[in-house]
Amino acid sequence: LLFKIKPQISKDRLFDLICLGGIVNGVIAIFHIFIFPDMLYHGRYTGYSGINETGFICGAFGIVNLALYLFYKNKYMFLIASVLSIVGVAGSGLRGVILGIFFSFFIILIIGFIFKKISFQKILKITLIFLCLFSATAYIVFKELPSKRMEYTKTEINAISGGDYTTSIGQRLVMYKEALAIFSLSPLVGMSAKSQLDNAEQISKISGFDKAIKEAQKGEPLWGKKHNDVLTIMAKRGLIGLLCLLFFYFTLINIFYKQHFVIFITGISVIVFCIGVGFSGDPISGHPESTFFMLFLFSLLS
């Protein structure tokens, strides 16, 4: 429908709206965290839709506004919008989104340097400023949150070191090993939920964990995502699916490469952010995240 309508959006107005989106999300996060903490869910900021969706969208606004500040107009409103968005990310405590922000931040700086839009000296200066702002923002937010994510992370690492994989990070490591086990059993096309159920014993044997067997004993198909976009695709769609995913990203990057540099770097920032979050999450297979991702890219191309 959107491609049929072919809307034409003013670049300046679109970027103003992106800036406004970052500010609005950040202000809502501030209200939830500092003024109405009863609105937090289990001590974490979830917005009005859910923690993964909220964290992903705040992270996308954070990195895109930062890219606009660096390469579009050196307006501090974009920087303010970025910092406010990062308040939402810190409040959500989503470590995968934080990883995605750092990953995309360094990628866009490298691209800017390659295209001679930014000097090496400025990169060092910007990196120092960004790390200071991010650290200060995260410290203030983490100190306010009832949920102590840093302490919990340390506890998780200690638990894994002791062979306990029941924590959040531990369970993801189990999922990663399961995904690789499934891929080794069916490398070309992966396994459906029914096939995973039928091969639960082999999956558990190869992965070294009995999670698949326990789930199979319930008699239900083993659907589950693997908290990693690449591994999820490898497990469910095999090598064919992996090649399709890589081609999908290549196509998006190629489309934006043909645009004006500002549109290119803005599009790339949200693409690499999605890839970065996909290291420990599933934004491509998450309906709200993937829908926001594609609508955002379409808006840029309009």
Side-chain angles (χ1 to χ4, degrees), residues 190-249:
M191 286 189 182
S192 65
K194 178 66 167 59
S195 295
Q196 291 183 42
L197 177 64
D198 294 339
N199 291 276
E201 188 172 338
Q202 285 183 285
I203 293 169
S204 293
K205 184 178 180 181
I206 295 172
S207 67
F209 296 97
D210 60 356
K211 179 174 175 289
I213 290 179
K214 288 181 178 179
E215 291 180 346
Q217 288 172 348
K218 299 177 183 177
E220 300 176 356
L222 307 184
W223 293 103
K225 296 182 288 186
K226 304 303 180 185
H227 279 283
N228 180 295
D229 267 335
V230 172
L231 292 178
T232 296
I233 292 293
M234 286 172 64
K236 291 186 176 183
R237 301 289 181 266
L239 187 60
I240 293 175
L242 176 61
L243 292 175
C244 288
L245 178 65
L246 296 176
F247 181 71
F248 169 70
Y249 283 130

Side-chain angles (χ1 to χ4, degrees), residues 281-299:
D282 334 80
I284 288 297
S285 50
H287 298 304
E289 298 100 308
S290 59
T291 302
F292 175 82
F293 176 59
M294 296 309 298
L295 287 174
F296 201 105
L297 295 182
F298 180 83
S299 298

